[in-house]
Amino acid sequence: FNPYWHPMTPPKSSEKEAVRQFFTGTASDYAKLFLSRRSGSNFGFRERLTLAAEMTADISGRLLDCACGTGEITTVILGSGRFTSATVVDLSARMLEAAQRRIEIEMTESKIGQLEFISSDIFEFATQPHAQKYDLILCLGLIAHTGRLDDLLAGLKTLLSPNGSILVQSSLLDHVGTKVVRLLTRERYYRQHGYRISYFHHQDILRAAHNAGLE
């Protein structure tokens, strides 16, 4: 029993659709962010991949990826051979298709017992009944586009195995550079894409995790 869990507040459908459209529109070029190029964006995405692989090196069992993008990080983690099943989720069907192609091509020699791909809002996914719990839940590059951190972690807690882990990535407002980026780009981004990027301090994430009953 998790005393902090509460029903998730549905997002505004217009904002959810704006997020879906944004990632659908960037699906064809998204994979290029993981190429070795001399740019800040590429450095950030490649570091995200490296850190995710390092931080999950001792975890095995069942994997849930909440927002797979085009599947680069999912593929690397599954390529370790430690996972027996994986559920790969993305709001954008086009992103999910690209991830599925990548994973199925690169995992032809794998022995993953169950591999499923689901185009869904992760909030809706988390409220559905699930027979299995996950030993690792990836939440990378997601909370900036959804906000609702308390709702998200509370929902993911219900999907987590007793000794499972959630890996969350965010650009933290503790850093001056992130504050400058928010100041300079947040409203312009909203005018262009129809929703605002959400930013968090480290303590915001720790508080939400505590409220969800996570350590």
Side-chain angles (χ1 to χ4, degrees), residues 143-175:
I143 60 177
H145 300 276
T146 63
R148 302 172 59 203
L149 184 59
D150 290 87
D151 282 351
L152 179 64
L153 292 183
L156 295 183
K157 173 66 162 55
T158 68
L159 303 177
L160 199 62
S161 67
N163 295 314
S165 300
I166 301 173
L167 181 60
V168 176
Q169 176 269 326
S170 177
S171 298
L172 295 176
L173 270 178
D174 302 75
H175 300 286

Side-chain angles (χ1 to χ4, degrees), residues 5 8 118 120-133 155 158-159:
W5 188 86
M8 292 186 180
I118 300 173
S120 174
D121 178 339
I122 191 59
F123 295 96
E124 294 175 359
F125 177 86
T127 60
Q128 302 303 310
H130 296 278
Q132 67 175 350
K133 303 293 185 179
T158 68
L159 303 177

Side-chain angles (χ1 to χ4, degrees), residues 52-91:
E54 290 177 353
M55 295 178 73
T56 59
D58 295 328
I59 304 174
S60 61
R62 295 173 297 274
L63 170 71
L64 168 64
D65 192 338
C66 295
C68 62
T70 44
E72 286 76 13
I73 296 177
T74 323
T75 301
V76 167
I77 291 177
L78 290 178
S80 68
R82 298 189 307 272
F83 292 90
T84 57
S85 69
T87 300
V88 184
V89 178
D90 203 276
L91 178 63

Side-chain angles (χ1 to χ4, degrees), residues 10 18 31 91 95 104 111 202 207 214:
L91 178 63
M95 279 284 198
E104 289 180 345
K111 297 181 180 180
H202 188 201
R207 175 194 50 76
L214 297 164

Side-chain angles (χ1 to χ4, degrees), residues 23 26-34 45 65 67-75 88 90 94-103 106:
F23 282 103
T26 59
S28 60
D29 293 324
Y30 193 82
K32 296 177 182 177
L33 291 168
F34 290 90
F45 276 80
D65 192 338
C68 62
T70 44
E72 286 76 13
I73 296 177
T74 323
T75 301
V88 184
D90 203 276
R94 191 173 177 190
M95 279 284 198
L96 189 69
E97 290 169 1
Q100 183 170 355
R101 287 194 300 270
R102 176 181 299 277
I103 293 169
E106 298 194 21

